[in-house]
């Protein structure tokens, strides 16, 4: 009788069961903020789920840049007028 290995088992012992460096979704919930610009940037984070770890940095930097731009735009919007100066200054 021959003790050969069946063809289905050849090569399976050498392959790892799972590759820890392979892309894996983090499944982090993202709650909408109501601000379209911010929500678009948060949705962009899902792109990192399909990349190897070394590709995450580019996505994170892009999202950070977009969020920073959205915050800067808020600062640039005109707000309510400043209150008029008080003519009644207190004397010490």
């Amino acid at each position: 009788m021959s003790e050969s290995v069946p063809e289905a088992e050849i090569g399976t012992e050498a392959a790892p069961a799972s590759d820890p460096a392979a892309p894996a979704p983090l499944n982090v919930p993202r709650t909408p903020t109501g601000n379209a610009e911010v929500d678009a940037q948060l949705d962009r984070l899902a792109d990192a789920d399909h990349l190897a770890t070394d590709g995450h940095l580019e996505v994170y930097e892009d999202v950070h840049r977009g969020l920073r731009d959205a915050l800067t735009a808020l600062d640039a919007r005109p707000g309510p007028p400043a209150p008029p100066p008080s003519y009644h200054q207190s004397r010490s």
Side-chain angles (χ1 to χ4, degrees):
M1 205 178 194
S2 172
E3 292 191 33
S4 64
V5 178
E7 283 185 42
E9 292 181 21
I10 296 176
T12 57
E13 291 178 29
S18 66
D19 182 4
L26 297 175
N27 297 322
V28 175
R30 287 179 284 280
T31 306
T33 65
N35 182 304
E37 291 178 72
V38 172
D39 290 342
Q41 293 301 322
L42 294 178
D43 288 343
R44 170 94 166 90
L45 288 173
D47 293 347
D49 288 349
H50 309 290
L51 299 172
T53 306
D54 61 352
H56 289 189
L57 183 61
E58 182 179 341
V59 173
Y60 295 156
E61 286 179 343
D62 184 46
V63 170
H64 180 260
R65 190 177 313 107
L67 291 172
R68 187 181 59 227
D69 291 348
L71 286 173
T72 301
L74 289 174
D75 287 340
R77 290 183 188 162
S86 174
Y87 294 107
H88 303 286
Q89 296 179 358
S90 63
R91 295 182 183 178
S92 342

